[in-house]
Amino acid sequence: MTENRSKLNKELAQMLKGGVIMDVTSPEQAKIAEDAGACAVMALERIPADIRAAGGVSRMSDPKMIKGIQKAVSIPVMAKVRIGHFVEAQILEAIEIDYIDESEVLSPADDLNHIDKTQFNVPFVCGARDLGEALRRVAEGATMIRTKGEAGTGDIVQAVRHMRTMNSEIRRVVSLRQDELYVAAKDMQVPVSLLQFVHDNGKLPVVNFAAGGVATPADAALMMQLGAEGVFVGSGIFKSGNPAKRAAAVVKAVTNYNNPSILAELSEDLGEAMVGINADEISILMAERGK
Amino acid sequence: MKIGVLALQGAFIEHIRMLERLDVETFEIRNLSDLDEIPDGLIIPGGESTVMSKLLLDLGLHEKLCSLITSGTPVMGTCAGLILLAKNVEGGNTSLATMDITAVRNAYGRQLGSFETAAPFAGAGNIQMTFIRAPVITQVGKNVEVLAEVDGTIVAAREDNQLVLSFHPELGEDPSVHQYFLNMISGTN
């Protein structure tokens, strides 16, 4: 990836800010998401809650399904590949996907290495639980970061923890003396140059979204108030009673995340939220995949 | 002078930062009460036009913005903002539809088609232009002045108080397009 390409890919993420990216598994769902105000859709075979229920190995979606979604909507179309599975990424690049999510939600294909994302022209978003993970993914070529949260649970606790951790670590790095950055980089296992950027700018070098466990408009607004620049909603939409209405409410909540009276209004009558699974009660923690 | 920046979704902070560099006051427009104060100028940023056009309606901003623009408030629309202001959108829905141009969405294709180039703007020198899944203008009305072209395609235009750009002047370091817009507001061009 040339420097110019990497810049353009970071800039596409900038255009998505303040928006909601929704998981969809069919062109019909993609259309519902677009009509509800999604700024992009994430194509995948099964939503995380179903992956969790079904178990087994989950992989990149059928390119034909993804192409169907590309035809159905005009907003950017993203899709997931397994951690380390660079051939799935090559396939998605061949069908001109707008963004690849190298995702812990799918079964990892490599338990050591992530994809060398600098070798691609299409952009990548990756999950992270803390600043070190985020900067390691950026060093590998990711041009957008999201919290890992705990996908498919409808439990926001992990996303909150990851966003708070990342932001408090950023504040700590900002407070360091220049001559303390080298050891900090060593401790965090990240390049000094990226830590220098965080130190100088008080933010990640790329856009940072919240993901994993967002189920209600209030969850989305909570993540925005904690510093997320936008929100991914996975199972929360299409596992709920009224997907179209809930999707539209989450979109409005992200725009007016600081306005409690608007949040109150749009939280009314949304029907049933997805059935939550307490993140402490599950056996597979997806967030543990790929560090 | 105070400029209202539509802050429903997209790259509105980048516009605000650019205007801060030019010592111009700004405020964010997220719902109707934000427009109790009448802005001297409006900016509609890049982002997803489908999202913004829906939120304009849902949040009750659509009519108010239309009336501000048609009554002469200067407005600058970048990328998605261009689509929102266009009277015609090929194969798509219109939104505010105040400017006599025809726009085509995603004219350069998907993200792999995004690019950077330099071209002359408003009869002045070359400026850096960043196109992200950008729209272009295919037709302009008789009162529309073409301000920039790339490979024979219109990428910037002005009709009286309305300025539209396919590219993102808020992303780079060069403030000349924003300066042009400020001059529109002060009536010096």
Side-chain angles (χ1 to χ4, degrees):
Chain A
M1 180 164 36
T2 63
E3 208 170 291
N4 173 271
R5 213 55 244 171
S6 167
K7 179 169 172 285
L8 287 165
N9 289 340
K10 283 181 196 168
E11 287 167 344
L12 173 58
Q14 283 177 265
M15 296 305 141
L16 300 172
K17 281 184 308 181
V20 181
I21 300 168
M22 299 181 195
D23 278 359
V24 298
T25 57
S26 67
E28 294 71 31
Q29 287 187 353
K31 195 71 197 126
I32 293 171
E34 182 179 49
D35 290 344
C39 70
V41 288
M42 176 73 70
L44 70 174
E45 209 159 33
R46 285 174 294 174
I47 57 174
D50 291 337
I51 292 176
R52 221 171 250 296
V57 176
S58 49
R59 313 177 178 88
M60 179 192 76
S61 303
D62 182 342
K64 188 176 172 188
M65 185 274 274
I66 298 170
K67 286 199 256 178
I69 290 173
Q70 287 175 320
K71 275 208 195 79
V73 297
S74 65
I75 53 179
V77 177
M78 305 182 165
K80 287 185 192 291
V81 299
R82 286 177 267 177
I83 289 173
H85 207 315
F86 52 85
V87 174
E88 285 186 346
Q90 290 163 3
I91 290 169
L92 290 184
E93 182 166 64
I95 62 167
E96 298 205 14
I97 202 78
D98 290 301
Y99 240 98
I100 295 175
D101 186 355
E102 187 183 16
S103 177
E104 70 282 2
V105 171
L106 305 185
S107 311
D110 189 323
D111 55 8
L112 283 177
N113 305 288
H114 279 73
I115 297 171
D116 178 1
K117 295 165 274 289
T118 63
Q119 298 305 305
F120 290 80
N121 285 318
V122 288
F124 282 80
V125 55
C126 287
R129 295 175 304 172
D130 53 38
L131 183 58
E133 276 190 14
L135 294 182
R136 284 194 289 281
R137 299 295 86 78
V138 173
E140 294 156 3
T143 50
M144 180 176 184
I145 292 292
R146 56 173 175 75
T147 59
K148 283 180 171 171
E150 195 52 40
T153 59
D155 188 349
I156 197 67
V157 64
Q158 308 270 359
V160 167
R161 181 185 303 147
H162 300 161
M163 188 58 74
R164 280 195 185 272
T165 303
M166 231 182 277
N167 287 333
S168 76
E169 286 172 336
I170 289 173
R171 286 191 296 274
R172 190 182 76 84
V173 169
V174 169
S175 74
L176 293 179
R177 276 168 53 107
Q178 180 66 33
D179 61 3
E180 293 166 341
L181 289 178
Y182 305 97
V183 168
K186 185 186 75 178
D187 290 346
M188 291 172 107
Q189 302 178 301
V190 300
V192 178
S193 60
L194 291 177
L195 208 62
Q196 182 76 52
F197 181 95
V198 174
H199 177 261
D200 295 346
N201 296 278
K203 63 191 280 298
L204 291 181
V206 300
V207 165
N208 187 17
F209 270 46
V214 176
T216 67
D219 289 346
L222 173 67
M223 296 313 299
M224 292 297 287
Q225 289 198 27
L226 286 173
E229 297 182 281
V231 174
F232 284 85
V233 190
S235 319
I237 302 283
F238 289 100
K239 273 286 165 193
S240 72
N242 188 341
K245 193 170 179 189
R246 182 168 293 266
V250 172
V251 169
K252 267 182 264 180
V254 167
T255 295
N256 283 292
Y257 65 92
N258 259 332
N259 190 323
S261 56
I262 293 184
L263 293 175
E265 205 177 301
L266 55 85
S267 297
E268 276 181 23
D269 273 337
L270 290 179
E272 222 173 306
M274 73 176 282
V275 179
I277 315 168
N278 188 317
D280 288 334
E281 295 167 3
I282 50 180
S283 52
I284 295 176
L285 268 183
M286 290 170 172
E288 294 295 324
R289 295 168 171 172
K291 296 168 184 172
Chain B
M1 187 193 296
K2 208 160 180 188
I3 295 181
V5 181
L6 192 67
L8 302 180
Q9 189 267 323
F12 49 87
I13 289 161
E14 289 79 354
H15 277 288
I16 291 171
R17 292 212 186 103
M18 183 64 90
L19 290 169
E20 278 169 0
R21 279 179 52 197
L22 294 168
D23 283 328
V24 176
E25 262 189 277
T26 58
F27 64 96
E28 293 183 0
I29 305 169
R30 288 176 190 268
N31 57 67
L32 196 53
S33 62
D34 294 328
L35 282 170
D36 290 345
E37 177 176 18
I38 302 296
D40 299 300
L42 286 166
I43 289 183
I44 306 179
E48 280 305 315
S49 60
T50 50
V51 179
M52 285 188 243
S53 60
K54 177 176 193 301
L55 287 172
L56 280 176
L57 289 168
D58 288 358
L59 297 164
L61 281 162
H62 184 99
E63 219 172 304
K64 178 74 179 172
L65 280 185
C66 273
S67 78
L68 282 174
I69 294 165
T70 49
S71 65
T73 303
V75 59
M76 169 159 86
T78 57
C79 195
L82 177 155
I83 297 163
L84 261 55
L85 291 169
K87 266 192 185 150
N88 303 295
V89 178
E90 276 183 35
N93 298 326
T94 59
S95 176
L96 299 168
T98 49
M99 183 163 172
D100 198 4
I101 55 170
T102 301
V104 178
R105 296 182 61 201
N106 302 335
Y108 298 99
R110 299 185 173 280
Q111 174 60 4
L112 285 175
S114 294
F115 65 102
E116 262 186 339
T117 189
F121 173 76
N126 274 6
I127 61 165
Q128 203 63 29
M129 298 178 179
T130 303
F131 294 82
I132 310 274
R133 288 174 45 99
V136 298
I137 302 168
T138 51
Q139 285 177 58
V140 296
K142 62 180 186 329
N143 295 322
V144 176
E145 181 190 356
V146 173
L147 294 178
E149 287 179 278
V150 169
D151 298 330
T153 304
I154 303 170
V155 296
R158 174 180 175 184
E159 181 180 26
D160 302 323
N161 60 321
Q162 303 183 65
L163 171 67
V164 291
L165 312 134
S166 301
F167 54 95
H168 292 281
E170 75 280 12
L171 291 178
E173 295 294 309
D174 180 359
S176 52
V177 174
H178 287 79
Q179 190 57 58
Y180 179 94
F181 180 56
L182 297 180
N183 294 344
M184 270 173 67
I185 297 173
S186 61
T188 49
N189 71 11

